[in-house]
Amino acid sequence: MTTVAFAGNPNVGKSTLFNALTGLRQHTGNWSGKTVGVAVGTLRQNTQIQLVDLPGTYSMDGTSEDERLAADYIRQGQADCVVVVCDGSCLARNLILALEIIAHSQRVVLCVNLMDEARGRGIWIDKEKLSRLTGVPVVLTAAGHRQGLDALLEEIFRTLGKPPQLQKHWENPIEAANEIAKNCTERTNHNKENWRLTLDKILVSRRRGVPILVMLLFFIIWLTIWGANYPAALLEQLFDGGYGLLKSVTAFLPWWLGGILIDGIYRTTTQVIAVMLPPMAIFFPLFTLLEDIGYLPRMAFLLDRPMSRCGGCGKQALTMCMGLGCNAVGVTSCRIIDSPRERLAAILTNAMIPCNGRFPTLIILGSIFFGNVTGGVLVAGCVLLGVLAAMVMTRVVTKTVQNQESAAFLMELPPIRKPRIGKILVDALLHRTLHVASRALSVAAPAGAVLWLLANTPLLSKLAIFLEPLGLLLGMNGVILLAFVLSLPANELLFPIILMVLTGMGTLYDGVLSGEQLLSMGWTWQIALCTMVFTVFHWPCGTTLLTIYKETGSIIKTAAAFILPTAVGVMLCLLLRGILP
Amino acid sequence: MPMEAICPGQRVEITEIPKNHPLRKRLESFGVLPGREIVCRYTDPKGDLVALEILGTVIAARVSDLRGILVRSVL
């Protein structure tokens, strides 16, 4: 199989090109560091050609883990052809890496991407001259608009057909890059940048930067909470109807098989989808919008001071944002942090940020026991508490791990871009929503079957009774604590398990829950509050733990990641139990 | 003058980056070399971080990390 690798600086469109040519859906967005591992796919037009999307790197001597990964891949000559992707609007900087890669590789194509943006800024590039000066073929593309892809493919095939040969070598690639870019580019209109500069200054200004940040985050969380209730109720009613229909259609089945399939698998899976999908269908588009316009690095810029006071850095704010979607993804994204000490702290504390699997539990309990408005404030408060605790624990971890230096902070601030609404809706709603649904099916379905079996034996109730004293100590009860234990595979299972155990019949509760119904099952607002706090602060899910082990290679560090949030959760619940009436 | 004294809106030329400066390699990968001009776009609310434009790219750096780098103002 022939391998073609996409390399280049971060945030130049490598993943966008990769997605366009393979049909896969690598995460893209307007900030450096989204691709932290090597993604592999095959060319749609020719499945004998393997495409590899490398993490972005600024030089072949990069300092962070993802940069070293990319540089090593190129140095080892693992690709038959390297496509170096450059940003057409800042060619001089991008050519530095391009010239280094050309000197290390035997077949190279230079792809100057983001030409739509370059043209928008009045930048014109002489493709032929650039090709002559670099000694490699050049293609101009605008991958986001699918322009130039055919020409790129043609050039890749042509280059693969040539025998491998040693390329040019430059004594001083930095100076050479600047000279080449000066000779090949022309700028016609410098005033086209004004709106970006103005908006940038507002977003990071002394007076308005932090208030805008706080308001934006609060608005996103509030809209997620408030907007999720109605579609969640609609989905539950729809699935309830499906439940009745399936029960009648499968009446001929043995009771245990019908129980496993309908009461176990169907009920658990649909409950997970009904509570998870609506908040994510609101959160992800809003988050992707911020990503797309380039706001996230500015968030890291604004938060670097408080984060560095805690021993971390501004990039940890980006990994926390990723953790809001999924903690496993948040842990992986910690590769963008250069300092090993800061990276470890970010990994160990990422689980304190409530992920999309925990949002539904927070939202349901918040709205049922405290009403939509107060509940919303409480949920936002839980997220804020998670962030504060993560910052405090970052301080603890970095103080403990003293033998490693803190790295200097240097981060690219990509240009503010106009949001691509179509891409945001497709990415966030279609791709991420489908990802959520498929993950729910893959985890919830077998879990539902197992839970039904457990619920129909004395085992579940015996376990709940066994955990009752500890549950009461923490302001909850044995059923809730058991649900936390059993939802280790995925946090999304927490509330369905609580309901399944509470009903005691191995089926999920019929219809929409109300506070009165939960009260009749022994719930109080104090129990709900402690449960909400423990939802934020308890052990990471199985996927996150595995990811932490993969990233750290250490059982001890993985155990620390398990213990840290749990210890915080236990302490806070004990405190709440002590002070609540 | 030291680079950490740079103000928003100011255009300066890099005159010296110490050989053992911790950011030297990283800055070189962004094209920051002696003789290159950079523009200070803005700082964070407390002035601890600075956003510098070089060769069409804006990079954020801590002011404390830029210590040792010398620049001269360009009119």
Side-chain angles (χ1 to χ4, degrees):
Chain A
M1 196 171 241
T2 310
T3 304
V4 176
F6 287 88
N9 285 176
N11 204 30
V12 294
K14 297 183 295 303
S15 296
T16 307
L17 274 167
F18 177 84
N19 290 346
L21 296 176
T22 59
L24 293 177
R25 293 181 197 111
Q26 281 296 96
H27 179 200
T28 60
N30 189 12
W31 54 285
S32 306
K34 299 166 301 301
T35 307
V36 289
V38 174
V40 180
T42 51
L43 192 60
R44 271 202 272 223
Q45 294 85 341
N46 183 343
T47 53
Q48 291 307 303
I49 296 184
Q50 185 180 74
L51 299 186
V52 175
D53 181 17
L54 296 173
T57 179
Y58 291 107
S59 86
M60 293 289 280
D61 297 318
T63 50
S64 67
E65 209 173 297
D66 50 336
E67 287 185 290
R68 283 195 294 269
L69 185 74
D72 288 345
Y73 189 96
I74 293 165
R75 267 197 207 96
Q76 286 160 15
Q78 294 187 49
D80 297 293
C81 172
V82 179
V83 176
V84 185
V85 187
C86 296
D87 180 353
S89 56
C90 47
L91 195 59
R93 193 254 295 167
N94 281 252
L95 277 180
I96 297 170
L97 174 69
L99 300 187
E100 288 178 347
I101 291 177
I102 289 170
H104 277 92
S105 312
Q106 296 188 328
R107 287 194 193 96
V108 176
V109 173
L110 192 62
C111 171
V112 183
N113 195 30
L114 297 167
M115 284 309 300
D116 51 328
E117 284 201 16
R119 281 189 283 266
R121 293 188 206 183
I123 296 171
W124 180 84
I125 294 176
D126 186 340
K127 190 177 88 166
E128 279 73 30
K129 206 171 188 181
L130 183 57
S131 180
R132 263 200 322 276
L133 292 173
T134 54
V136 298
V138 172
V139 181
L140 305 182
T141 59
H145 300 278
R146 302 204 164 233
Q147 291 169 7
L149 299 185
D150 291 337
L152 176 64
L153 277 176
E154 267 179 43
E155 202 52 68
I156 290 174
F157 290 139
R158 202 174 297 139
T159 304
L160 284 170
K162 292 182 193 165
Q165 61 182 47
L166 284 173
Q167 306 289 344
K168 266 180 156 178
H169 176 79
W170 288 267
E171 278 298 321
N172 190 336
I174 301 168
E175 288 293 351
N178 194 38
E179 281 308 308
I180 292 172
K182 255 197 233 170
N183 281 313
C184 301
T185 56
E186 215 176 287
R187 190 125 188 214
T188 53
N189 187 345
H190 289 260
N191 292 333
K192 288 188 174 186
E193 293 284 90
N194 286 346
W195 71 270
R196 287 179 217 270
L197 287 171
T198 309
L199 186 57
D200 217 351
K201 282 180 181 162
I202 293 171
L203 290 175
V204 296
S205 76
R206 282 172 192 247
R207 276 187 307 142
R208 288 169 286 201
V210 173
I212 289 175
L213 170 67
V214 170
M215 271 174 11
L216 267 173
L217 291 178
F218 183 78
F219 173 71
I220 287 174
I221 293 169
W222 173 79
L223 193 63
T224 300
I225 297 161
W226 177 80
N229 284 326
Y230 305 104
L234 282 172
L235 279 173
E236 280 188 30
Q237 280 171 10
L238 177 72
F239 290 138
D240 283 342
Y243 174 79
L245 183 65
L246 281 170
K247 269 294 197 189
S248 57
V249 160
T250 56
F252 66 94
L253 289 175
W255 69 270
W256 54 271
L257 188 57
I260 289 175
L261 290 175
I262 313 301
D263 295 314
I265 295 175
Y266 176 80
R267 265 306 197 189
T268 308
T269 311
T270 53
Q271 180 73 15
V272 166
I273 292 174
V275 299
M276 249 188 77
L277 226 54
M280 289 309 107
I282 298 167
F283 175 80
F284 278 130
L286 293 173
F287 185 75
T288 310
L289 176 67
L290 291 185
E291 245 188 335
D292 209 51
I293 65 171
Y295 185 71
L296 294 191
R298 278 139 184 98
M299 193 190 302
F301 183 83
L302 289 168
L303 294 176
D304 182 67
R305 184 181 153 94
M307 294 305 305
S308 60
R309 285 264 164 113
C310 301
C313 73
K315 289 180 184 176
Q316 192 173 345
L318 299 179
T319 65
M320 284 180 176
C321 285
M322 301 308 289
L324 277 173
C326 172
N327 290 134
V329 172
V331 165
T332 314
S333 70
C334 292
R335 291 181 195 177
I336 61 171
I337 298 172
D338 293 332
S339 160
R341 186 173 72 178
E342 289 167 5
R343 186 165 59 245
L344 177 65
I347 288 174
L348 296 184
T349 57
N350 198 272
M352 295 187 192
I353 307 300
C355 63
N356 75 61
R358 289 181 269 172
F359 258 105
T361 306
L362 293 173
I363 292 171
I364 288 173
L365 291 177
S367 55
I368 286 176
F369 282 91
F370 303 99
N372 279 343
V373 175
T374 312
V377 171
L378 265 176
V379 174
C382 283
V383 175
L384 186 62
L385 190 61
V387 171
L388 289 172
M391 289 169 74
V392 168
M393 294 315 290
T394 296
R395 186 79 176 135
V396 169
V397 171
T398 50
K399 277 285 187 196
T400 310
V401 183
Q402 289 280 3
N403 59 344
Q404 287 164 357
E405 287 292 316
S406 189
F409 178 82
L410 201 68
M411 184 182 69
E412 184 183 346
L413 294 173
I416 297 282
R417 291 187 172 135
K418 285 181 199 162
R420 294 167 289 178
I421 304 296
K423 175 190 173 285
I424 288 167
L425 288 175
V426 167
D427 262 354
L429 279 179
L430 200 59
H431 298 161
R432 282 179 173 174
T433 306
L434 282 179
H435 171 72
V436 158
S438 65
R439 206 174 80 161
L441 281 171
S442 66
V443 174
V450 169
L451 286 168
W452 185 88
L453 285 168
L454 284 175
N456 281 277
T457 67
L459 186 60
L460 216 58
S461 51
K462 282 191 174 153
L463 283 171
I465 292 167
F466 175 74
L467 289 171
E468 185 76 3
L470 183 57
L472 289 174
L473 188 67
L474 296 175
M476 296 177 281
N477 57 41
V479 168
I480 301 170
L481 203 53
L482 178 63
F484 275 110
V485 171
L486 292 177
S487 63
L488 179 67
N491 285 306
E492 295 90 324
L493 298 173
L494 180 66
F495 212 70
I497 294 173
I498 290 174
L499 296 180
M500 186 179 273
V501 178
L502 279 178
T503 60
M505 294 300 290
T507 71
L508 292 180
Y509 193 79
D510 232 345
V512 180
L513 276 173
S514 70
E516 288 77 26
Q517 286 157 336
L518 278 178
L519 282 171
S520 70
M521 292 181 191
W523 280 69
T524 62
W525 68 266
Q526 292 91 335
I527 290 177
L529 192 60
C530 289
T531 307
M532 286 173 79
V533 167
F534 205 69
T535 300
V536 177
F537 300 108
H538 71 283
W539 47 85
C541 70
T543 310
T544 305
L545 284 170
L546 278 171
T547 308
I548 291 171
Y549 179 69
K550 225 174 64 169
E551 293 296 307
T552 61
S554 162
I555 296 270
I556 293 173
K557 288 171 186 167
T558 308
F562 185 99
I563 291 166
L564 267 176
T566 311
V568 172
V570 166
M571 282 189 317
L572 286 174
C573 285
L574 288 173
L575 182 67
L576 273 176
R577 189 173 165 270
I579 61 176
L580 288 177
Chain B
M1 69 181 196
M3 194 165 178
E4 62 261 33
I6 198 171
C7 299
Q10 194 174 5
R11 179 181 288 272
V12 296
E13 182 190 307
I14 308 273
T15 55
E16 187 187 330
I17 306 176
K19 278 198 168 57
N20 58 353
H21 195 279
L23 279 184
R24 186 186 173 94
K25 267 194 174 286
R26 180 58 106 186
L27 287 171
E28 281 178 359
S29 68
F30 282 107
V32 178
L33 291 176
R36 193 79 77 215
E37 281 185 15
I38 60 174
V39 178
C40 175
R41 281 274 192 92
Y42 44 76
T43 64
D44 79 322
K46 293 284 183 182
D48 292 331
L49 247 71
V50 63
L52 305 166
E53 183 179 351
I54 170 97
L55 297 176
T57 301
V58 179
I59 54 175
R62 287 185 189 142
V63 169
S64 55
D65 292 335
L66 298 173
R67 243 172 243 142
I69 299 174
L70 298 176
V71 299
R72 70 174 183 87
S73 200
V74 173
L75 291 168

